[in-house]
Amino acid sequence: MMMQTMTDFSEMTTDATLLKRAKKDPKAFEAIYCKYFPLLFNIAHKKLGVKPLAEDLVQEIFVALYQKVDALEINCSLSAYLNKAVRFKIMNEYRSKAVRMQYSKTVFSFPLCKTDFSPLEVKELSHQLDKAYDRLPKKCRQVFMLSRKEGLSQKAISKKLDISLSTVEKHIGKALKIFKDELHEYRLLIQSIA
């Protein structure tokens, strides 16, 4: 039992030293990041079940730590501090998700939010979609159509058009941005029928 306490104390001293050095030396901060990122990510991923969300959440913790490293005074081990931080972030995520769900239920329960649209509304939206589609550059339009209308994967499109996978991703991203810009007025309408 006494040996365990000594190990914890020595780890605390090492982390405290690393934190002090991290104020001036980015390599020390990198050592902290490499040591604790996998542990925090595993905790977040187990609780949230969504890998990108867990990664983002842990990244936010390290960004905040880096920004506050000069003024930070930790009265426990760095491990305990980061553990508390990740658990706090997870609780906030659950809370935010509950608020978003409640808001969604409230907003879409009003009579104004309908799912049956008049022919005029459908015609107007269709016209705006055509307009956005016409704004797409030729290659971008071709990639987007293969993706959305033919349902091809990005890898299949890359092979079919003999272009790189990153080029396919860029074309799809560009097309989605153009659609988003053109259809920003119809966002709620589209979300309610999607």
Side-chain angles (χ1 to χ4, degrees):
M1 189 71 169
M2 185 66 148
M3 190 63 148
Q4 180 65 29
T5 308
M6 290 298 274
T7 306
D8 291 346
F9 179 73
S10 109
E11 188 173 301
M12 230 171 105
T13 306
T14 306
D15 286 343
T17 306
L18 269 175
L19 261 178
K20 283 181 185 172
R21 282 187 33 219
K23 294 176 183 181
K24 295 178 183 137
D25 181 10
K27 293 274 186 202
F29 189 82
E30 187 179 333
I32 292 169
Y33 181 87
C34 290
K35 180 178 179 180
Y36 288 107
F37 184 89
L39 172 74
L40 299 179
F41 171 76
N42 286 336
I43 293 169
H45 188 244
K46 274 183 193 170
K47 295 285 184 186
L48 299 171
V50 181
K51 192 175 181 176
L53 179 60
E55 286 174 347
D56 288 348
L57 189 136
V58 174
Q59 284 289 54
E60 287 173 15
I61 291 170
F62 280 104
V63 167
L65 181 67
Y66 185 78
Q67 290 172 339
K68 304 190 266 191
V69 78
D70 290 334
L72 199 62
E73 288 195 27
I74 300 175
N75 299 325
C76 57
S77 71
L78 183 58
S79 175
Y81 175 83
L82 292 172
N83 237 325
K84 285 179 186 173
V86 78
R87 292 183 192 290
F88 181 75
K89 282 277 194 188
I90 290 166
M91 284 177 21
N92 274 349
E93 184 57 36
Y94 282 139
R95 205 174 295 126
S96 295
K97 187 175 181 180
V99 168
R100 285 191 303 268
M101 286 176 66
Q102 186 59 40
Y103 176 77
S104 175
K105 285 178 187 175
T106 304
V107 168
F108 291 113
S109 66
F110 289 118
L112 292 174
C113 293
K114 54 187 181 176
T115 55
D116 55 332
F117 301 101
S118 71
L120 185 59
E121 289 172 317
V122 172
K123 186 176 180 181
E124 176 61 24
L125 181 57
S126 178
H127 173 71
Q128 292 300 327
L129 281 167
D130 290 342
K131 190 174 155 186
Y133 179 74
D134 290 341
R135 281 198 56 216
L136 296 177
K138 184 179 178 182
K139 195 69 160 183
C140 184
R141 183 181 317 141
Q142 184 182 16
V143 168
F144 189 76
M145 294 309 285
L146 288 171
S147 169
R148 295 309 192 258
K149 288 215 174 173
E150 293 186 27
L152 294 180
S153 69
Q154 291 182 359
K155 195 173 184 178
I157 296 169
S158 172
K159 274 187 177 178
K160 183 172 185 164
L161 298 180
D162 195 30
I163 56 177
S164 72
L165 191 57
S166 66
T167 303
V168 171
E169 291 169 358
K170 286 177 187 171
H171 281 307
I172 290 173
K174 183 176 187 173
L176 290 173
K177 185 181 181 333
I178 289 171
F179 277 105
K180 185 177 179 183
D181 291 346
E182 284 292 322
L183 303 170
H184 71 276
E185 297 170 22
Y186 300 90
R187 186 173 48 88
L188 284 176
L189 178 68
I190 291 168
Q191 284 176 346
S192 67
I193 60 175

